[in-house]
């Protein structure tokens, strides 16, 4: 009751409630949600020790949805833990750039949308049944954003958004029409074309640097061979080559 009243007094500010652990934070979020509809939970990132592709991304989608709610002003009360606050997250400008709003009747590049969905973590499939999936059939794109309560079907006429509607993931039948949908990313690591180029350039630079070092060491070995060095000296030089090649 006290925290609820405090939130009302500070209605024009974002309130962050830090709990001791995630179970306490989840309980606090559930209690406040009974009297407010602008409360969000921000969990810590899970530690994945197994194969990443087989891991659940639910935690990631909850984090993204809460961050986007803060960015858009929908979140007025954020419940979290100290562990979650200390972990790095998507910069606000990157998150904002990685969200696209589709509106009925407006022009939106169809091919660019399909590329965007892949870049921000959506998995392409034949039939959309769960969050973070999308499917393409002709001029129709089915997708299930992390923030949406139901999957959405977007029909295009060329590059014009001809209709937007929710549909049932079980029987795939279209339900209510809506005027717009905001497509948010599904992953915290966003590899768009710019990020891929930066990674590629960095790898190429490191390869060139190591190639230079390797050539210098080889030249030194060749020079030492001519002087008939001791076995100990030769082993030391060969060890240097092996470390560079690794």
């Amino acid at each position: 009751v006290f925290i609820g009243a405090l939130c009302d007094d500070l209605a024009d500010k974002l309130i962050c409630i830090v709990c001791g652990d995630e179970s306490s934070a989840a309980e606090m979020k559930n209690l406040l949600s009974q009297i407010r509809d602008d409360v969000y939970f921000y969990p810590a990132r899970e530690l994945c020790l197994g194969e990443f592709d087989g891991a659940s991304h639910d935690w990631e989608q909850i984090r993204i949805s809460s961050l986007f709610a803060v960015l858009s002003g929908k979140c007025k009360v954020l419940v979290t833990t100290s562990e979650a606050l200390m972990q790095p997250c998507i910069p606000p400008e990157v998150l904002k750039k990685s969200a696209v709003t589709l509106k009925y009747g407006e022009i939106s590049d169809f091919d660019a949308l399909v590329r965007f969905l892949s870049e921000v973590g959506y998995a392409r499939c034949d039939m959309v049944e769960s969050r973070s999936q999308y499917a393409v059939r002709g001029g129709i794109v089915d997708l299930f954003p992390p923030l949406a309560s139901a999957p959405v079907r977007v029909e295009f006429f060329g590059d014009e958004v001809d209709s937007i509607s929710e549909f049932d993931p079980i029987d795939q039948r279209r339900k209510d029409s809506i005027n717009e949908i905001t497509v948010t990313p599904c992953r915290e690591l966003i590899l768009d074309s710019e990020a891929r180029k930066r990674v590629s350039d960095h790898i190429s630079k490191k390869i060139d640097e190591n190639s230079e070092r390797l050539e210098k060491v080889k030249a030194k070995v060749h020079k030492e061979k001519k002087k008939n060095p001791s076995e100990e000296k030769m082993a030391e030089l060969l060890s240097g080559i092996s470390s560079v090649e690794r």
Side-chain angles (χ1 to χ4, degrees), residues 4 23 43 49 76 83 85 87 105-106 129 135 141 147 160-161 175 217-218 235 246:
S23 60
L49 299 177
K76 296 300 183 183
E83 180 185 2
L85 289 178
Q87 293 176 344
E106 291 193 353
E129 297 176 323
V141 178
L147 300 182
E160 181 182 347
V161 179
K175 300 194 300 184
V217 173
K218 283 183 177 179
R246 284 197 295 271

Side-chain angles (χ1 to χ4, degrees), residues 55-222:
S56 170
H57 294 283
D58 291 346
W59 59 269
E60 200 168 17
Q61 293 168 6
I62 294 173
R63 284 167 60 93
I64 291 171
S65 64
S66 296
L67 289 173
F68 191 78
V70 171
L71 187 63
S72 62
K74 293 181 180 179
C75 173
K76 296 300 183 183
V77 182
L78 186 68
V79 184
T80 185
T81 64
S82 57
E83 180 185 2
L85 289 178
M86 289 189 293
Q87 293 176 344
C89 64
I90 305 178
E93 62 276 9
V94 175
L95 181 60
K96 188 174 182 179
K97 187 177 69 172
S98 302
V100 170
T101 299
L102 301 172
K103 296 183 179 181
Y104 167 71
E106 291 193 353
I107 300 298
S108 181
D109 190 318
F110 179 86
D111 294 331
L113 173 63
V114 174
R115 287 196 302 271
F116 167 80
L117 292 173
S118 295
E119 289 176 351
V120 297
Y122 287 78
R124 186 163 183 167
C125 58
D126 294 330
M127 184 182 297
V128 172
E129 297 176 323
S130 59
R131 284 183 170 83
S132 304
Q133 292 181 337
Y134 80 98
V136 180
R137 299 185 309 280
I140 300 175
V141 178
D142 288 349
L143 64 146
F144 201 158
L147 300 182
S149 58
V152 175
R153 180 163 296 151
V154 184
E155 298 186 33
F156 284 81
F157 183 75
D159 281 336
E160 181 182 347
V161 179
D162 195 43
S163 71
I164 307 175
S165 58
E166 295 180 340
F167 67 91
D168 191 318
I170 297 176
D171 60 21
Q172 298 291 303
R173 291 185 178 180
R174 191 168 62 177
K175 300 194 300 184
D176 298 332
S177 295
I178 55 179
N179 290 324
E180 64 179 63
I181 178 69
T182 298
V183 184
T184 55
C186 300
R187 301 286 183 269
E188 291 189 275
L189 178 60
I190 299 172
L191 291 178
D192 56 13
S193 56
E194 293 179 8
R196 292 176 191 274
K197 187 178 185 305
R198 287 197 301 270
V199 172
S200 177
D201 291 345
H202 180 73
I203 293 174
S204 298
K205 181 181 177 182
K206 289 299 180 183
I207 290 175
D208 291 340
E209 289 175 357
N210 284 332
S211 295
E212 263 182 54
R213 289 176 58 197
L214 183 58
E215 289 302 322
K216 288 180 181 179
V217 173
K218 283 183 177 179
K220 189 174 181 180
V221 170
H222 182 69

